Amino acid sequence: MRRTGLLAAVAALLAGVLVWPSAPGAEAAGATASAPAVFTHPGVGVSRGQLDFARTQVLAGAQPWKGAYDQMMASRYADLNRVPKPRAVVECGSYSNPNYGCTDEREDAIAAYTTALAWYVTRDARYAQKSIQLMDAWSAVITDHTNSNAPLQTGWAGSSWPKAAEIIRSTYTGGWPNSGRFATMLRNVYLPEVINGSNSNGNWELSMMEAAIGISVFLEDRTSYDRAMAKFRTRTAAYVYLASDGTLPKTVPSQNLDTREKIVTYWQGQSTFVTGLTQETCRDLTHTGYGIAAIAHTAETSRIQGQDLYGTDVGERLRQALGFQSKYELGTAPPSWLCGGSLHLGLGPVTEVGYNAMHHRLGFAMTNTEALTLRNRPAGSNNLFVAWETLTHGDNPA
């Protein structure tokens, strides 16, 4: 009887029926499987339903989607004359110095995603073929990422490639002969660089896990998906503080942050912890925005794949982080206890996905996040791994 009940529970979990428990320390403790029994395609960052909604709004000339689409189509990423610039070895030092192919790789990946979106809206095969050309150019050449920023660079580019590939493979019927080679590139060049995570600032590992999870969806690799999701849950809990965490933020076990002093140092010298504060808030809001974006993107992919993290601590941390950062990005003066009373602003176009999920789907007010989201529309690209999210996720009910 117990065996039957256990099998039923496992089956329900695999089907995405049960609510997944919050497990901030899941990786250390041995995480419950997260991968779906059957992967949904397109299913990285944006679903077919969301794409259909966006397309319908654009074709109807409705705002803000038409304005967001026009912005995208006017960008360099939608240029049908774009010439890809692949490299066998992409070398990226700290802050992309040296920059041997770093910008080219990231921007070609964003361009592949942009033209995939353009294909979906217009049904103009030239855009699908351009996306394929960009993906094929890199899959024919690249073998490695090197230097100190290699893990982060791989995470950024590796977040955009599967978004493009999912749309093309799932919706374009004109053929993609080299899709297998592209999959091999993701498996052999990108996934090994990101799957083991990072003990650097939290935005690194969050972006790397976003890439690993997106790649795992495209490859239908359940083992890698589960491994990356466990790291993502652990890192998210260690990146955004909630009062319920206790007097100190949660930590990633491998970092050995076992004293208050070590934690404060890692949190950029911040010693007062309040709900919504992130590990990088006192560094600057730009890097904080990278971390928030990766959390939202991963939660969205997970939702599409049947495991809705928005109802867990991941969603609560995302909501609180958005609200906290948005308040100061909108102009509220920071108190003296927060980062010494001085913040470096520049959150970036990162609020649409989380705002849509937590406000429109779950009904949270999110006053500050809403004000910032509306002020920033249409949200463009940060030229790293975030692009066109007013178009794909703005007030999107799908």
Side-chain angles (χ1 to χ4, degrees), residues 109-191:
I110 292 173
Y113 177 54
T114 300
T115 47
L117 289 173
W119 144 252
Y120 199 89
V121 173
T122 65
R123 296 301 196 268
D124 183 337
R126 294 177 302 163
Y127 289 104
Q129 291 159 8
K130 174 56 69 173
S131 184
I132 289 170
Q133 180 198 27
L134 291 159
M135 291 188 283
D136 283 354
W138 280 88
S139 70
V141 172
I142 191 168
T143 61
D144 200 10
H145 297 85
T146 64
N147 215 318
S148 59
N149 257 36
L152 182 59
Q153 169 73 19
T154 310
W156 282 340
S159 295
S160 296
W161 287 129
K163 289 181 182 178
E166 280 282 294
I167 294 172
I168 295 299
R169 187 178 64 177
S170 302
T171 71
Y172 177 59
T173 58
W176 182 10
N178 291 316
S179 62
R181 188 178 73 194
F182 182 83
T184 298
M185 176 191 79
L186 292 181
R187 183 179 297 281
N188 293 343
V189 179
Y190 287 82
L191 191 57

Side-chain angles (χ1 to χ4, degrees), residues 35-88:
V38 178
F39 283 96
T40 297
H41 305 288
V44 177
V46 61
S47 68
R48 188 183 294 267
Q50 290 170 314
L51 290 168
D52 286 340
F53 174 81
R55 180 173 190 260
T56 298
Q57 299 307 309
V58 170
L59 295 180
Q63 298 298 351
W65 306 277
K66 180 60 165 60
Y69 170 78
D70 290 343
Q71 175 196 43
M72 180 184 81
M73 296 304 287
S75 76
R76 63 184 181 273
Y77 299 116
D79 184 0
L80 287 170
N81 295 313
R82 183 183 187 87
V83 177
K85 298 178 181 177
R87 279 178 176 258

Side-chain angles (χ1 to χ4, degrees), residues 70-381:
D70 290 343
Q71 175 196 43
M72 180 184 81
M73 296 304 287
S75 76
R76 63 184 181 273
Y77 299 116
D79 184 0
L80 287 170
N81 295 313
R82 183 183 187 87
V83 177
K85 298 178 181 177
R87 279 178 176 258
V89 177
V90 174
E91 182 180 354
C92 306
S94 181
Y95 291 92
S96 293
N97 182 22
N99 182 340
Y100 299 132
C102 316
T103 301
D104 292 337
E105 181 190 28
R106 293 192 306 263
E107 296 200 352
D108 276 350
I110 292 173
Y113 177 54
T114 300
T115 47
L117 289 173
W119 144 252
Y120 199 89
V121 173
T122 65
R123 296 301 196 268
D124 183 337
R126 294 177 302 163
Y127 289 104
Q129 291 159 8
K130 174 56 69 173
S131 184
I132 289 170
Q133 180 198 27
L134 291 159
M135 291 188 283
D136 283 354
W138 280 88
S139 70
V141 172
I142 191 168
T143 61
D144 200 10
H145 297 85
T146 64
N147 215 318
S148 59
N149 257 36
L152 182 59
Q153 169 73 19
T154 310
W156 282 340
S159 295
S160 296
W161 287 129
K163 289 181 182 178
E166 280 282 294
I167 294 172
I168 295 299
R169 187 178 64 177
S170 302
T171 71
Y172 177 59
T173 58
W176 182 10
N178 291 316
S179 62
R181 188 178 73 194
F182 182 83
T184 298
M185 176 191 79
L186 292 181
R187 183 179 297 281
N188 293 343
V189 179
Y190 287 82
L191 191 57
E193 188 71 49
V194 296
I195 192 65
N196 292 320
S198 167
N199 287 326
S200 184
N201 282 301
N203 82 86
W204 278 50
E205 187 163 82
L206 289 167
S207 291
M208 292 163 69
M209 292 310 105
E210 177 190 345
I213 287 166
I215 289 168
S216 297
V217 170
F218 184 78
L219 299 176
E220 298 200 331
D221 181 343
R222 290 180 181 81
T223 300
S224 295
Y225 187 100
D226 287 344
R227 184 176 175 189
M229 187 61 75
K231 283 185 176 293
F232 168 76
R233 296 292 299 271
T234 301
R235 177 60 71 174
T236 298
Y239 193 69
V240 182
Y241 176 80
L242 298 178
S244 57
D245 293 338
T247 57
L248 293 172
K250 293 182 179 295
T251 62
V252 174
S254 61
Q255 292 190 268
N256 298 312
L257 299 174
D258 52 7
T259 68
R260 177 181 175 85
E261 182 182 13
K262 289 180 181 179
I263 291 172
V264 168
T265 298
Y266 185 60
W267 281 62
Q268 322 295 327
Q270 178 68 14
S271 58
T272 300
F273 302 104
V274 296
T275 292
L277 181 78
T278 80
Q279 181 256 315
E280 295 187 270
T281 298
C282 292
R283 179 187 186 187
D284 57 62
L285 295 197
T286 301
H287 286 87
T288 298
Y290 300 164
I292 290 172
I295 292 170
H297 294 168
T298 304
E300 194 70 358
T301 294
S302 180
R303 182 187 71 89
I304 295 166
Q305 298 304 328
Q307 179 191 6
D308 196 339
L309 296 178
Y310 290 118
T312 72
D313 75 297
V314 171
E316 181 63 9
R317 292 178 197 278
L318 175 61
R319 180 174 76 91
Q320 296 292 352
L322 282 168
F324 188 86
Q325 268 62 224
S326 293
K327 174 182 177 181
Y328 296 107
E329 187 71 19
L330 287 166
T332 296
S336 59
W337 57 262
L338 177 61
C339 312
S342 177
L343 286 171
H344 300 285
L345 305 181
L347 191 62
V350 303
T351 64
E352 289 279 16
V353 176
Y355 170 70
N356 187 58
M358 301 305 295
H359 176 71
H360 290 294
R361 290 200 199 109
L362 296 185
F364 291 100
M366 300 185 72
T367 305
N368 290 324
T369 307
E370 179 177 38
L372 183 61
T373 300
L374 295 179
R375 188 183 79 176
N376 288 347
R377 283 183 173 173
S381 175

